[in-house]
Amino acid sequence: MVSSEIIFMQIIKMLKVMQRFTPHRQVICFINTCISSCPEVRWSHLARQLNPQLQATRSVQRHISAISNQHFNIRGVTTMASTMQMNGDFEKILEKKLKVAGPHQQKILIRDDKLDSGDVSEEEKELRCTLASLYRLVDFHGWTHNIYNHITARISTDDEHFLINPFGLMYYEVTASNLVKIDLEGDILEHGTTNYGCNKAGWTLHSAVHAARPDIKCIIHLHTPAGAAVSCMKCGFLRCCQESLIVGDVKYHPYSGILVDEKERKLIAENLGPTAKIMILHNHGLVVCGETIEEAYYLLVLLMAACETQVRLMSCGSLDDMILMDDEMVKQVREVAGLGGGGVSKDSDAWTFGQLEFEAAVRMLDNMGLKSGYRYKKMLNSAPEVGKGGKRKAENGETEKQKGTTKRGKK
């Protein structure tokens, strides 16, 4: 029989890998199964060793704390482990587990074969794949709210057609082919590959913004705990960290119940204004807009990080104890970070805001075997040509040194 200590070390090794690729819900499930293989070991003892290794999310920590005083004496996994030679068998099992992106136990491809069966333009196919990938990333981050909340993307400004999730599916079930196509009035033009409709309240919000802001291609509306908490604070959104500066201007909309009233569309558009891309719905949640899907995703990542920081910061004392930044600093940081690549990329290609970050996130989905269908601007294995002397060539054929000299000469 393999000792509990050896099994425990293997579990730690697997969890360290799982933390990088697997949603926290699956990590919890894995903990429940694997830790039970150590007979008569208290969870409190394991939790003390797991937390640093796992760098656990709040959900995992709460789960461990809730059952920390329980005992487990289930020997099934122990028996299975004892038959292994501890020479990589665990990694072979884990490799299959890592290709699952949600709490389900089967792969649901983002770009499935059904996308090619209909009369869909190549441009729309590309948009469907990108939007469906965004839904999967929101699920991966744990920002979903069961079947609720919604993300939309404008297909074109000419027809005013949009894509939205089928109301009734979890985010990890959304694919490129089952997205629902609707018009500005919310009428369904194409059901996709399901018979589900769309969320009426969701379209009241989204149609108001899409109608008033033709520059906006993608809108995300979420009810995350941190976002809802900030929406309830009288102090509003605080400029307390770098992420809170990069998001730029933030607007507010008062709570008036579930968004099903058509009269509220005008007020939503007025409160968002002509240039802002983030709006906090008081006592409700967050709205994030983007001129591209990539921009909307990265703004959401930044906004969620800022909200999490603010919620934690509020537990440390009053506003008088906090170092907050002014509007001038917001403008300065936004101008730099808004260049794309966080404003620090020396890549020869010009990245739009959020594009580099979104590609990295979607690449994770593809590495899980989910077949995003996303059109990458730069594939992972592509590299600039190298000239004589090991100098990297610029796009016009000059080496970087020559290119820099030319620029300085012009100055």
Side-chain angles (χ1 to χ4, degrees):
M1 177 72 70
V2 178
S3 69
S4 296
E5 290 75 13
I6 295 178
I7 297 174
F8 179 69
M9 293 308 298
Q10 288 292 334
I11 291 171
I12 290 292
K13 183 178 180 181
M14 296 169 71
L15 284 170
K16 289 173 69 176
V17 179
M18 287 188 76
Q19 169 66 12
R20 303 205 313 266
F21 299 102
T22 312
H24 62 267
R25 283 169 294 199
Q26 276 187 266
V27 176
I28 290 173
C29 180
F30 185 77
I31 289 173
N32 279 343
T33 303
C34 290
I35 301 302
S36 62
S37 67
C38 302
E40 304 299 331
V41 178
R42 291 181 63 87
W43 260 89
S44 56
H45 169 69
L46 294 174
R48 284 195 298 270
Q49 300 184 55
L50 278 176
N51 276 337
Q53 298 285 354
L54 186 59
Q55 297 179 353
T57 63
R58 283 186 172 184
S59 299
V60 176
Q61 291 174 348
R62 284 197 300 266
H63 186 78
I64 290 176
S65 299
I67 58 177
S68 61
N69 295 322
Q70 296 184 26
H71 288 272
F72 292 85
N73 190 15
I74 303 174
R75 300 179 181 273
V77 181
T78 304
T79 304
M80 177 189 71
S82 66
T83 63
M84 295 182 176
Q85 299 177 353
M86 300 300 176
N87 60 355
D89 292 342
F90 276 107
E91 284 77 3
K92 292 176 183 177
I93 294 174
L94 181 58
E95 184 178 356
K96 298 178 181 179
K97 296 278 187 184
L98 292 178
K99 292 186 177 181
V100 182
H104 50 83
Q105 292 302 316
Q106 70 179 84
K107 278 194 300 183
I108 301 178
L109 298 180
I110 297 172
R111 193 196 191 287
D112 52 14
D113 296 334
K114 297 177 182 178
L115 185 62
D116 297 318
S117 60
D119 185 17
V120 181
S121 67
E122 289 300 320
E123 182 181 358
E124 184 177 329
K125 287 180 182 179
E126 184 177 335
L127 179 65
R128 283 175 171 271
C129 291
T130 307
L131 181 59
S133 297
L134 176 56
Y135 272 99
R136 299 299 186 91
L137 288 172
V138 171
D139 175 73
F140 181 86
H141 288 299
W143 296 334
T144 59
H145 192 70
N146 198 263
I147 63 172
Y148 296 97
N149 302 164
H150 13 80
I151 308 172
T152 58
R154 186 195 302 269
I155 297 176
S156 69
T157 54
D158 298 331
D159 300 325
E160 292 292 2
H161 293 169
F162 308 87
L163 296 174
I164 192 171
N165 56 313
F167 184 52
L169 297 187
M170 303 289 276
Y171 276 26
Y172 67 77
E173 297 176 296
V174 174
T175 67
S177 65
N178 66 28
L179 288 165
V180 180
K181 183 189 291 188
I182 56 180
D183 61 18
L184 197 56
E185 302 305 318
D187 296 325
I188 295 178
L189 305 175
E190 294 179 17
H191 277 277
T193 54
T194 74
N195 57 358
Y196 288 94
C198 67
N199 186 324
K200 181 181 178 182
W203 190 237
T204 300
L205 168 66
H206 288 247
S207 62
V209 178
H210 279 304
R213 295 282 300 274
D215 60 312
I216 296 300
K217 189 179 189 68
C218 178
I219 303 171
I220 305 171
H221 173 49
L222 298 179
H223 299 172
T224 62
V230 171
S231 76
C232 299
M233 297 179 184
K234 289 185 177 181
C235 63
F237 182 72
L238 300 179
R239 307 295 184 169
C240 58
C241 60
Q242 182 167 279
E243 289 79 10
S244 68
L245 304 179
I246 301 175
V247 297
D249 196 13
V250 176
K251 300 296 185 179
Y252 299 90
H253 179 74
Y255 185 76
S256 58
I258 297 176
L259 297 173
V260 293
D261 188 356
E262 290 293 325
K263 295 179 182 178
E264 196 163 3
R265 292 176 59 179
K266 183 178 179 181
L267 185 58
I268 291 172
E270 289 177 354
N271 288 334
L272 180 63
T275 58
K277 294 179 179 177
I278 290 177
M279 184 162 65
I280 295 177
L281 309 179
H282 283 149
N283 307 97
H284 188 170
L286 309 172
V287 176
V288 180
C289 309
E291 296 180 27
T292 64
I293 293 177
E294 292 86 346
E295 179 185 31
Y297 167 74
Y298 189 50
L299 280 175
L300 177 63
V301 171
L302 294 168
L303 182 61
M304 285 306 306
C307 287
E308 289 279 0
T309 301
Q310 180 170 332
V311 169
R312 297 185 187 188
L313 184 62
M314 294 297 285
S315 66
C316 299
S318 67
L319 291 177
D320 295 334
D321 299 324
M322 301 176 189
I323 301 174
L324 302 178
M325 290 162 280
D326 57 20
D327 293 339
E328 184 61 32
M329 185 58 69
V330 174
K331 182 179 178 181
Q332 178 184 332
V333 172
R334 176 64 182 172
E335 285 180 354
V336 175
L339 299 175
V344 295
S345 174
K346 293 186 178 180
D347 201 310
S348 59
D349 293 334
W351 295 94
T352 60
F353 183 81
Q355 188 177 26
L356 185 62
E357 295 84 356
F358 186 77
E359 288 206 1
V362 175
R363 194 162 55 243
M364 174 186 64
L365 298 178
D366 280 325
N367 289 338
M368 290 175 175
L370 294 178
K371 192 180 178 182
S372 71
Y374 178 71
R375 186 186 295 274
Y376 291 95
K377 180 176 181 178
K378 176 170 288 189
M379 298 302 292
L380 188 61
N381 59 354
S382 63
E385 295 182 22
V386 178
K388 293 182 179 180
K391 295 181 176 61
R392 188 177 290 179
K393 286 187 176 181
E395 290 181 351
N396 60 1
E398 298 175 333
T399 64
E400 287 184 351
K401 184 175 180 181
Q402 291 170 337
K403 188 176 181 181
T405 303
T406 304
K407 286 183 178 180
R408 286 193 295 272
K410 288 181 179 180
K411 291 179 181 179

